[in-house]
Amino acid sequence: RSALPYPLRLAVQVELVADSSSVEQVRRGVAFSAGGAAPGGNRWHWRDPDTGAALTAPEAAVETDGSLILLNWKIELPPDHAVELAWSLELEDNGAPLRAARLPPLLTPAVAGGPRLQRLMSTAISDLDALRMADARIPQDMFVAAGSPWYPTLLGRDALIAARMLLPVNRDLAAGTLRALAARQGTISNPETVEEPGKIVHEVRRQFTLLPPVYYDYYGSMDATPLWVCLLHDTWRSGLPDAEVAALLPHLEAALHWLGAVGDADGFLENLDETGDGSAHHGWKETPGAIRWHDGTPAKGPLV
């Protein structure tokens, strides 16, 4: 916007860098060279053909040099006028197993106690709406992702706890969470992913060590399976239709069998990472080094 009494001719440049570093690399502070993607125009792919980006910059001249992208505008600014410049980036990952939920948003319930509490509730529900996701194979069943920006994915315990706490607000979210996790319930024994028959998945991850990258389910959780059983019971008590409950009963029986015959050897659910590459602790405090002895040394498995 110009407040001058005479017109202006301006050149505006925005400099962008195409960088395909993974969120995991950013989170860990791993050194990387920017520009893993080198667009030859306003559309390009990175990692594999399923991941794409499209850059839109109305009325701008676009220049590219490897990973460097320059957006250039030549504008005429009349006296006492404003000019708005914009650019946007549209991303797609057609190979991803999870999607943003394309279902009606959660409704904000009325809260007694004044406008401040109502605003708090509205903000909380809005934040939860932003975390809603669905399995690409069953998009009608939504769940709440574990968080942003590090965990926009299906994490068993987080999705189950959130759905259980939100039962008074939305029962469909609990039902969708149950079905989304049941669809990935363990069916075989795989030491690498800690999958076992009847076990509820812990996390859906992208594996970057392979080309092209693939997704796989990791089952290193001792609490997701009992939490799934608890949520099914509570959702049934809240009025889940009998037909929907009946469809989940085979998954319930498999989960109970895992709890009683596989995960429990002596009255406690135990875990032991046999590969050395997975989580040492399969409970809530799974961060490396979170479980320690009194002298501060990290505890080794099996941990209960």
Side-chain angles (χ1 to χ4, degrees):
R1 176 177 295 277
S2 174
L4 298 176
Y6 50 84
L8 293 175
R9 290 183 178 181
L10 301 174
V12 179
Q13 184 179 85
V14 174
E15 181 177 306
L16 307 174
V17 174
D19 185 351
S20 63
S21 301
S22 70
V23 172
E24 287 81 359
Q25 289 174 311
V26 175
R27 182 188 180 199
R28 296 173 183 172
V30 178
F32 54 85
S33 58
N42 68 328
R43 290 182 175 271
W44 67 94
H45 298 279
W46 74 95
R47 298 193 185 116
D48 60 65
D50 285 330
T51 54
L55 177 68
T56 301
E59 301 179 3
V62 181
E63 300 177 20
T64 61
D65 182 9
S67 62
L68 181 65
I69 307 171
L70 298 177
L71 308 180
N72 296 290
W73 287 269
K74 302 286 188 182
I75 62 173
E76 302 281 346
L77 187 56
D80 196 30
H81 278 69
V83 173
E84 183 176 295
L85 307 177
W87 65 273
S88 63
L89 189 66
E90 182 179 350
L91 305 175
E92 62 182 5
D93 186 354
N94 294 323
L98 308 177
R99 297 281 191 273
R102 302 185 183 278
L103 297 168
L106 303 174
L107 298 178
T108 303
V111 179
R116 294 182 63 189
L117 286 178
Q118 188 63 55
R119 288 196 299 270
L120 176 62
M121 175 63 77
S122 299
T123 300
I125 295 298
S126 176
D127 291 344
L128 288 167
D129 273 329
L131 291 173
R132 292 178 308 130
M133 299 188 74
D135 193 313
R137 300 172 301 179
I138 43 175
Q140 71 278 8
D141 292 327
M142 65 178 176
F143 56 87
V144 174
S148 180
W150 308 126
Y151 294 104
T153 188
L154 177 58
L155 205 74
R157 76 164 68 95
D158 297 66
L160 288 162
I161 292 174
R164 197 176 182 191
M165 296 178 71
L166 285 166
L167 262 176
V169 176
N170 190 298
R171 190 183 64 211
D172 291 339
L173 177 65
T177 301
L178 288 166
R179 287 190 288 263
L181 288 168
R184 295 178 179 273
Q185 189 175 28
T187 57
I188 62 173
S189 294
N190 184 347
E192 180 180 355
T193 61
V194 208
E195 179 180 357
E196 293 171 328
K199 198 174 185 181
I200 296 299
V201 69
H202 170 55
E203 184 176 3
V204 179
R205 301 187 178 193
R206 182 191 277 260
Q207 191 175 24
F208 291 98
T209 57
L210 301 179
L211 293 175
V214 298
Y215 286 88
Y216 73 105
D217 298 340
Y218 180 64
Y219 291 80
S221 167
M222 304 305 291
D223 46 9
T225 306
L227 285 171
W228 189 92
V229 174
C230 292
L231 180 61
L232 177 58
H233 172 267
D234 291 351
T235 310
W236 165 65
R237 291 292 298 270
S238 72
L240 186 67
D242 290 344
E244 296 186 38
V245 175
L248 292 170
L249 288 182
H251 299 281
L252 173 62
E253 293 176 355
L256 292 174
H257 180 267
W258 180 84
L259 288 169
V262 182
D264 175 16
D266 56 3
F268 293 93
L269 295 177
E270 297 178 343
N271 69 273
L272 178 63
D273 174 39
E274 299 178 356
T275 67
D277 298 323
S279 297
H281 182 49
H282 291 185
W284 182 267
K285 299 176 72 173
E286 64 188 48
T287 302
I291 307 299
R292 297 175 179 269
W293 298 113
H294 289 295
D295 63 1
T297 58
K300 299 184 181 298
L303 303 171
V304 295

